[in-house]
Amino acid sequence: AHMYIRDGCPCLGGPMYERPLLEIGHLQELEMSVMLPKGTLLSEGVELTVASGYLPGNRVYHEAPYRATLKLHNIRIPTLIGLNQNERTAKQMVICSISIDPYCVASVDYYAHLEEIIVKSLEESAFETLESLAIHLTTRVIKHFVFPFTTRKPFPTVTIELVKPSATTFADAPVVTVSRSSDPDKDE
């Protein structure tokens, strides 16, 4: 992003505009989000948001907050969940969204592996409540995704949102959101 702001589009052999889109000398922070609507097989998309701070003179300010957040939007999986007898015999659609903030990996994006963990956990689930399923999912994501694939420090927070659209007649859907830190000093 810094190169595009300062020098224009390198793929076209140079600047594509006379004045830069943003005056980088006045820029203090830049946040950019990239959404891939077909980036995963079962979700509505994967999104990576990156923010960084700048100093005068076109230099990245390494002491400024740098942050990256990974989100998977609306993974739809038939899941065995519920308290009622009819809910214990047939799977219902559960929609899961997840974010990991901050998301720091050494080199490769592992969002397909994250989707695989979520899908497998939901398919194997037999929980009675969305709350217990959300807690189970955050634990599995921390254990099988955060610890093996991220840099751990700063310790990311995993946020899971579960929606069960078929649960109630007079409302759109119950929604449960659970956020847990992967820092062992904050959460065992």
Side-chain angles (χ1 to χ4, degrees), residues 81 118 165:
I81 188 161
I118 296 295

Side-chain angles (χ1 to χ4, degrees), residues 36-50:
L36 302 173
K38 296 183 180 181
T40 65
L41 297 174
L42 298 170
S43 76
E44 290 181 6
V46 59
E47 178 181 356
L48 182 65
T49 302
V50 178

Side-chain angles (χ1 to χ4, degrees), residues 60-73:
V60 174
Y61 180 36
H62 294 290
E63 301 301 318
Y66 168 84
R67 187 165 209 100
T69 304
L70 177 70
K71 295 180 183 175
L72 293 178
H73 296 275

